[in-house]
Amino acid sequence: MTNLRFQVVEEAFRKKPLEVKVPAERPYEFFGKNVFNREKMYKYLPKDVYEKLVDVIDNGTRLDRSIADAVAAGIKQWAVENGVTHYTHWFQPLTEGTAEKHDSFIEHDYKGGMVEEFSGKLLVQQEPDASSFPNGGIRNTFEARGYSAWDPTSPVFIIDDTLCIPTIFISYTGEALDYKAPLLRTLHAVNVAATDVCRYFYPDVKKVQSNLGWEQEYFLVDEGLYSARPDLMLTGRTLMGHDSAKNQQMDDHYFGTIPDRVQTFMKDLEIKALELAIPCKTRHNEVAPNQFELAPIYEETNLAVDHNMLLMSLMKRVARKHGFRVLLHEKPFAGINGSGKHNNWSLSTDTGVLLHGPGKTPMDNLRFVVFIVETLMGVYRHNGLLKASIMSATNAHRLGANEAPPAIISSFLGKQLSELLDHIEKSDKDELFNIMGKQSMKLEIPEIPELLIDNTDRNRTSPFAFTGNRFEFRAVGSEANCASAMIALNSAVAEALVSFKNRVDALIAKGEDKMSAIIDIIREDIKTCRPVRFDGNGYSDEWVEEAKKRGLDCETSCPVIFERYLDEESVGMFESLNVMSRKELEARNEVKWETYTKKIQIEARVMGDLSMNHIIPVATHYQSKLLKNVENMRNIFPTEKADRLSARNIKLIEEIAERTAAIERGVEELVAARKVANKIESEHDKAIAYHDNVAPKMETIRYQIDKLELIVEDQLWTLPKYRELLFIR
């Protein structure tokens, strides 16, 4: 009998890189080729329509529906010239993915033929089925109506023969059923709040923009090996599998030479991404074998979120072309690093970056301190909410492991910035702020120029680290929609800035000088948010105890962490900023709990299936071979000698019997726990039951299976092993 595993492994290692057709132009020449950007807007739209649309995009003015037909006509002309036959409203429902329904341009001409039409009405609004997407009870099955509405701030683009129109997705009664609608609301809120505070220092500031630079980590697995692992196919991670003798312990994969097949895939992916105006900048090997990273130049947050969602979809399509499958699960393999999606976040005005410091004047320096401290205030006040915004059934496997931030949200500032805040808090407020810039360091090598040392080191254990002119929110998971974290973070910062301005204005109203009032409130806030500042080792047990004393959220249960969305402080913040209502928050939490339950439920079913239909049959087959060997030995040799010679096999027979029995008992207990949990009506309580009573039983079963993998004859084991999955050549 030929083991399919060996066939797919052999085929995987024989594969050669594909030929990729590289455009003759330089990347900047074909950048945005498939995007209706400003250059194309100017070419295809009447001048007055172009100016109105640009005003909407740049200044947030309300879209004039009267120009919709002209915009649609220009977009259609461009699209048809590029071979487009269909259009779709492209939106981001609460599934962590994207959704699209394709319609062709054709309509009856009422003369027995067809014409191609695309009106402003079709551009601006469509009507997807709102009851068939996760909605948390907002829409019943018989209440199907929902609306997708064009987001003109994110340009339309072409994929194959389809024009894709970025849209929000709302229910018939107006509640957001997606990520984009509340994201746009929170970006407006932080713009208003930050602009108001900016004008203390720079009266001419017109707009503040939230920026995002994501770093997408991912694994690549050969498609044949992937297909031979039902757990990877159905859950995105390996539910069983013993460590490879060699994995990442030699640190030789990180920044190492990119394998040829992977390099070809990356090249193909980057070409297609650049054509869609996704500004790919960095690619490299990550720490774990078969793990890689792609990062773009930072962009405005809404556009960056759209580009990340588009890229994840694009990665999967391009990977299959090259015989790979992309794994975006945060922890597809036990024992090695999982994947994150670090969100580099900053605020900038039409004149500069607000977190960029220090400045050249005391005014610049004070502005820098204000925005640093008020960001920390937002993180401190909504510590648990920020953790809830990045938590999921999949990311829970990664957080707290020795390659990811712990499940406690704290902020690393670095020695100099921490000392600066301490100095401001304790010193006389009339002192000038003396923020150090980059200090020089001269190396004793004449060929190397003078280097500049950043004001902060980096702390890989910090979930929210200041890294020079931005904060790096490192806890975001690799398959997550960045919008979730950005909604929580921008809202928290907006609320903090609103509070800051109200308190400063109150002091000014009492007759205090503006700068003096600002310093008074900043000193107060530095003291208040001190508990969230931590520059030490976030992995240590001592930090967990210290964080509890500081009052930080140390909860580790995923379903319980989701409750932070419904804290009165969270609801009050979202409602006061007009980001989400209580009803919307309650609905989203229902979706989160239900999604958590379903993911663990699927994993439990797959675990039971593989255990009973793969693992136990293979183990007992090998056990039978050992029994036959012992029987043959006893037929040849005297019993005493035969038993001595067969001692190892007898021991293995006993161990296999014990472990298979333990697996069988474990599966029975797993099924029973699922049945009990499934009878619970409350989605909240059901999710907790799955977390507390179902998920731990899978780990118990896995332990026994992984031990069996080391015992059973390699020729019989049907599932590709870690050593085969993790090393592409």
Side-chain angles (χ1 to χ4, degrees), residues 394-535:
T394 53
N395 204 23
H397 291 286
R398 166 181 165 264
L399 293 179
N402 282 346
E403 85 280 357
I408 302 170
I409 303 297
S410 65
S411 184
F412 167 82
L413 299 180
K415 181 180 178 182
Q416 288 182 331
L417 188 50
S418 291
E419 289 178 350
L420 168 69
L421 297 189
D422 291 343
H423 175 70
I424 293 171
E425 180 188 349
K426 296 171 184 175
S427 65
D428 188 287
K429 72 176 180 180
D430 292 330
E431 290 184 25
L432 288 176
F433 296 137
N434 226 344
I435 305 175
M436 293 182 64
K438 292 190 173 184
Q439 56 184 195
S440 298
M441 178 181 75
K442 293 184 179 179
L443 301 178
E444 298 302 319
I445 307 174
E447 292 81 9
I448 305 296
E450 184 177 76
L451 300 179
L452 293 176
I453 303 301
D454 283 313
N455 281 339
T456 70
D457 192 0
R458 294 187 68 200
N459 187 331
R460 292 180 60 84
T461 73
S462 176
F464 195 75
F466 183 68
T467 56
N469 60 3
R470 64 193 182 278
F471 281 94
E472 184 179 19
F473 198 0
R474 294 177 53 85
V476 182
S478 54
E479 73 174 0
N481 187 321
C482 298
S484 178
M486 292 297 98
I487 290 166
L489 177 58
N490 280 291
S491 296
V493 173
E495 183 193 54
L497 290 169
V498 169
S499 171
F500 170 80
K501 186 174 189 303
N502 288 341
R503 288 177 289 146
V504 169
D505 287 351
L507 292 180
I508 294 172
K510 293 178 181 178
E512 189 167 345
D513 173 74
K514 180 176 72 174
M515 288 298 109
S516 176
I518 290 172
I519 293 170
D520 280 343
I521 300 303
I522 274 299
R523 294 175 70 188
E524 178 184 308
D525 287 354
I526 290 172
K527 183 176 181 180
T528 300
C529 70
R530 177 179 286 277
V532 86
R533 289 163 46 194
F534 178 66
D535 289 358

Side-chain angles (χ1 to χ4, degrees), residues 77-126:
Q77 182 183 349
W78 167 71
V80 170
E81 288 175 7
N82 284 274
V84 168
T85 58
H86 290 67
Y87 65 93
T88 183
H89 274 201
W90 182 83
F91 58 97
Q92 301 166 30
L94 303 177
T95 59
E96 302 299 332
T98 58
E100 53 198 66
K101 174 177 69 75
H102 297 198
D103 288 308
S104 71
F105 287 139
I106 62 171
E107 296 287 349
H108 283 293
D109 67 356
Y110 301 104
K111 299 175 184 177
M114 307 296 293
V115 294
E116 287 192 322
E117 289 186 355
F118 182 59
S119 66
K121 179 181 178 182
L122 296 176
L123 168 66
V124 171
Q125 183 175 307
Q126 280 196 333

Side-chain angles (χ1 to χ4, degrees), residues 327-369:
L327 303 181
L328 293 174
H329 192 291
E330 283 79 3
K331 195 77 171 178
F333 303 102
I336 59 174
N337 280 18
S339 297
K341 179 152 50 194
H342 306 163
N343 278 205
N344 294 280
W345 172 88
S346 68
L347 295 175
S348 63
T349 70
D350 40 342
T351 60
V353 180
L354 290 176
L355 301 178
H356 192 282
K360 296 180 180 179
T361 68
M363 185 73 77
D364 281 343
N365 293 338
L366 183 56
R367 174 267 308 159
F368 170 69
V369 170

